[in-house]
Amino acid sequence: MAGSEPPAPLLLLMLLLLPGTLAGPVVVDRKVSAVLDKNVTLKCLVTVKETVTQISWEKQEHGTSDTVAVFHPSYGISIQGNYLGRAVFTNPSLKDATILITKIGFSDSGNYICKVVTFPLGNYQETSTVTVIVEPTITVGGGPEPLVDGANETVAAVCTAANGKPEAVVFWETDLIGEQEQTKIFAPNETVTVVNQFKIVPSRFVRKRPITCVVIHPPLNTTTRVPYLLDVQYAPEVTVMGYDGNWFVGRQNVQLKCKADANPSPSAYIWSRLEGQLPDDLQIENDTLAFNRPLNHNDSGIYICDVVNIHGRRKKQKVVQIRDPPTTTPLSTTSSPTYSTAGITSLPAFTRRLPIPPSTLKSVKSDSLGTIIGGVVGGTLFLMLVVIIIVMFYLRRRRTFRGDYYTKQYTGTTEIQKDSQMDVLQSNRIEPYTDYEKIERKLETNNIFQDYPIEIQKNEWRSEGNINNRYTEGVEIPIDYYDGRKIPNAPQYVHDDYYDENEDDLVSHLDGSIISRREWYV
């Protein structure tokens, strides 16, 4: 039928299906988590339009209901049973029945019913389920046995999340190489204890390295991190310090100190000397051996420091050598005398001279003498080196001389390279003549004495000694002249009798070689 309204039951169903209409006349939290020993709030809001005569809370347990709290507009509030003194209405009215329960215990878990009594329609009610959550107790510590350097795999640290409800998640965060081992312990009250052990092979190098225990409790949505430093015990590592290598006779206020890296701390320091007993006048204070007197040569020796703890005894020795005292005497530290200039009006030539200790003057003179001797020796060596260089240069120049044996002029290597040796010799060759005038004309033609005046050339040439000299210089002698006279039908070359027995037969050649005079013309 057009325009007709839907039936009443269908309209009620449609209203119930609309958003926001599912909430009934009593509004509560379906699930509530309560932390042990903490407080919890149970909400109950009344939206009915009928007349409300009473509001109450009841707890269902083992199939029965026990009254917790009642609010009556005429008779007031009533708290009953185990909740007396622990439960209270937060805003008592006929529209709000919310209560607060303090000091939650395990027995507070269960279903709680908010009941509203109306007139004339009857009762309305809703249920809240309370779960008691136990926050775990977190503890972090070392293993049952101490970690000792060099031992086998040992429990290094233990992290415990005890009596949690529900159980917690426990693990270790670390960059060390180790093994995590977890165990769980269940209690009758439904709590769980989780234990996580971290195992490593102990080494002294991991001492004081941090590791972190992480505990996550999902119901509380919390994450707890607890850091822990590893503790590894080991025998002492000993080092003796204090000796700087400059202990000399007379030095004072020196000491040897024994440094020990040990865990636990050393229980004793024992000083000794390898060669025998320690001197009685040395002072020993635990890790320090003090020389409270000037040093002497008898203090040289090998000193030993022994360190003891519960894991062993280790020692270290130090070789001490006492040197002779320094040879240089330090300048006097006493202040020089002062002089008063009061009353002096003019000081034109006043010069102040500081006193110098005799030891300082002696050292200055010694240094000056050493400087002079060093300078003389250096200068002598330098002069010798210069002389050697000059002599070598002179000898080398003589060996490499190239020139005209008649004029003593250097001709260079170009002319020698152009003509062969025989050509050079033959270029100055003199044909045999029997007449002196012809010989002289021949000499003038060949220009052998071109650098000499004519009279000197003639006079020089006629002397027998000059002929010999010219020959020694590489000049060929006329073949018909011998012993200052003409020789008819003379041979082409000079006779061997011309040479003196004691005369050197060798002569330098143009290319630097040395040949025999007798073989010159062969």
Side-chain angles (χ1 to χ4, degrees):
M1 190 170 43
S4 63
E5 296 181 358
L10 181 58
L11 180 59
L12 180 61
L13 180 61
M14 292 174 62
L15 292 175
L16 292 176
L17 293 177
L18 290 175
T21 59
L22 293 178
V26 179
V27 179
V28 297
D29 293 328
R30 301 294 183 180
K31 294 183 178 180
V32 178
S33 295
V35 180
L36 184 67
D37 295 330
K38 300 295 180 64
N39 301 333
V40 64
T41 299
L42 301 181
K43 181 177 68 174
C44 182
L45 300 177
V46 179
T47 62
V48 296
K49 295 182 179 180
E50 292 84 2
T51 301
V52 178
T53 60
Q54 179 178 295
I55 300 175
S56 64
W57 280 95
E58 298 178 357
K59 180 183 178 183
Q60 290 183 344
E61 189 173 6
H62 307 297
T64 61
S65 297
D66 295 330
T67 302
V68 174
V70 178
F71 173 74
H72 193 277
S74 301
Y75 299 103
I77 299 172
S78 174
I79 307 298
Q80 302 178 10
N82 296 329
Y83 296 93
L84 182 61
R86 294 195 305 123
V88 60
F89 285 95
T90 59
N91 188 20
S93 67
L94 296 179
K95 298 294 184 181
D96 189 353
T98 303
I99 63 173
L100 174 67
I101 303 176
T102 62
K103 298 180 181 179
I104 294 294
F106 290 107
S107 60
D108 293 330
S109 298
N111 296 326
Y112 290 80
I113 302 172
C114 181
K115 183 180 294 186
V116 178
V117 180
T118 66
F119 179 83
L121 297 179
N123 299 335
Y124 296 92
Q125 65 181 29
E126 292 292 342
T127 302
S128 294
T129 302
V130 175
T131 303
V132 176
I133 297 175
V134 180
E135 186 176 3
T137 302
I138 302 173
T139 57
V140 178
E145 297 180 358
L147 295 176
V148 180
D149 181 31
N152 296 328
E153 186 180 63
T154 311
V155 176
V158 179
C159 182
T160 304
N163 301 321
K165 184 182 179 182
E167 66 184 50
V169 177
V170 182
F171 60 91
W172 289 96
E173 282 185 349
T174 178
D175 57 354
L176 298 177
I177 298 177
E179 179 183 356
Q180 300 189 35
E181 182 178 300
Q182 182 171 279
T183 57
K184 297 179 181 180
I185 303 173
F186 296 91
N189 57 3
E190 299 181 353
T191 60
V192 181
T193 300
V194 180
V195 180
N196 193 314
Q197 296 180 339
F198 182 64
K199 298 181 179 180
I200 62 171
V201 176
S203 170
R204 62 186 300 238
F205 300 106
V206 301
R207 184 191 179 196
K208 295 185 178 181
R209 291 287 297 274
I211 59 176
T212 303
C213 176
V214 182
V215 178
I216 301 176
H217 199 225
L220 297 179
N221 194 23
T222 59
T223 300
T224 305
R225 297 175 181 272
V226 181
Y228 178 76
L229 296 178
L230 295 178
D231 185 26
V232 181
Q233 299 182 3
Y234 48 87
E237 291 290 335
V238 185
T239 303
V240 178
M241 306 175 63
Y243 177 68
D244 58 2
N246 190 30
W247 288 18
F248 52 84
V249 174
R251 184 174 177 180
Q252 302 184 34
N253 299 324
V254 295
Q255 62 183 11
L256 296 177
K257 197 167 188 64
C258 189
K259 295 291 185 179
D261 180 15
N263 186 30
S265 299
S267 58
Y269 291 89
I270 303 173
W271 287 95
S272 62
R273 185 170 172 175
L274 185 62
E275 299 84 356
Q277 297 293 330
L278 287 172
D280 296 334
D281 51 0
L282 298 185
Q283 184 177 357
I284 300 177
E285 294 181 0
N286 293 330
D287 60 346
T288 303
L289 178 64
F291 295 77
N292 294 329
R293 52 163 176 78
L295 297 176
N296 56 63
H297 284 294
N298 294 331
D299 293 327
S300 297
I302 301 176
Y303 293 84
I304 303 172
C305 175
D306 284 344
V307 183
V308 182
N309 75 347
I310 61 175
H311 294 292
R313 177 174 180 173
R314 298 290 186 271
K315 64 181 179 180
K316 192 72 174 182
Q317 63 184 21
K318 176 65 68 175
V319 179
V320 175
Q321 182 179 2
I322 308 301
R323 303 177 181 272
D324 293 330
T327 56
T328 58
T329 303
L331 294 176
S332 176
T333 57
T334 59
S335 60
S336 59
T338 58
Y339 302 94
S340 174
T341 58
I344 301 177
T345 58
S346 176
L347 297 174
F350 179 79
T351 303
R352 182 178 180 181
R353 297 182 180 180
L354 297 177
I356 301 177
S359 59
T360 304
L361 294 175
K362 184 177 180 180
S363 61
V364 172
K365 292 180 179 179
S366 177
D367 294 341
S368 300
L369 181 59
T371 304
I372 294 173
I373 294 175
V376 172
V377 173
T380 303
L381 294 177
F382 178 77
L383 291 177
M384 292 177 62
L385 178 61
V386 172
V387 171
I388 292 173
I389 293 175
I390 293 174
V391 171
M392 292 180 62
F393 178 80
Y394 178 76
L395 294 178
R396 181 174 180 85
R397 186 175 182 83
R398 290 191 59 185
R399 287 186 57 187
T400 59
F401 177 79
R402 300 178 183 274
D404 192 338
Y405 278 88
Y406 306 114
T407 63
K408 305 296 183 181
Q409 295 179 355
Y410 184 76
T411 61
T413 58
T414 306
E415 297 298 332
I416 296 176
Q417 294 174 355
K418 289 180 180 179
D419 298 328
S420 65
Q421 176 179 321
M422 292 304 297
D423 294 338
V424 174
L425 293 175
Q426 293 177 3
S427 64
N428 293 327
R429 193 164 187 82
I430 304 174
E431 297 295 333
Y433 290 92
T434 57
D435 193 306
Y436 281 112
E437 287 75 12
K438 293 181 178 181
I439 293 174
E440 292 174 358
R441 287 195 300 271
K442 186 66 176 178
L443 293 174
E444 292 175 358
T445 304
N446 291 336
N447 199 18
I448 296 176
F449 302 102
Q450 58 184 349
D451 294 335
Y452 292 86
I454 301 302
E455 285 76 20
I456 295 178
Q457 294 178 12
K458 294 180 180 181
N459 294 335
E460 290 292 332
W461 174 248
R462 288 185 176 88
S463 64
E464 181 180 354
N466 189 50
I467 294 174
N468 293 336
N469 292 336
R470 295 299 179 184
Y471 183 79
T472 60
E473 293 178 0
V475 180
E476 296 184 9
I477 301 175
I479 60 176
D480 57 348
Y481 186 87
Y482 181 74
D483 197 17
R485 61 183 181 277
K486 296 180 181 180
I487 303 176
N489 300 325
Q492 188 173 2
Y493 301 103
V494 179
H495 197 270
D496 291 339
D497 295 338
Y498 175 79
Y499 298 98
D500 194 322
E501 293 181 356
N502 297 326
E503 187 178 3
D504 190 2
D505 184 44
L506 302 177
V507 65
S508 299
H509 200 43
L510 295 177
D511 58 355
S513 63
I514 302 175
I515 64 175
S516 173
R517 294 181 180 179
R518 291 180 176 82
E519 300 299 329
W520 186 293
Y521 299 99
V522 177

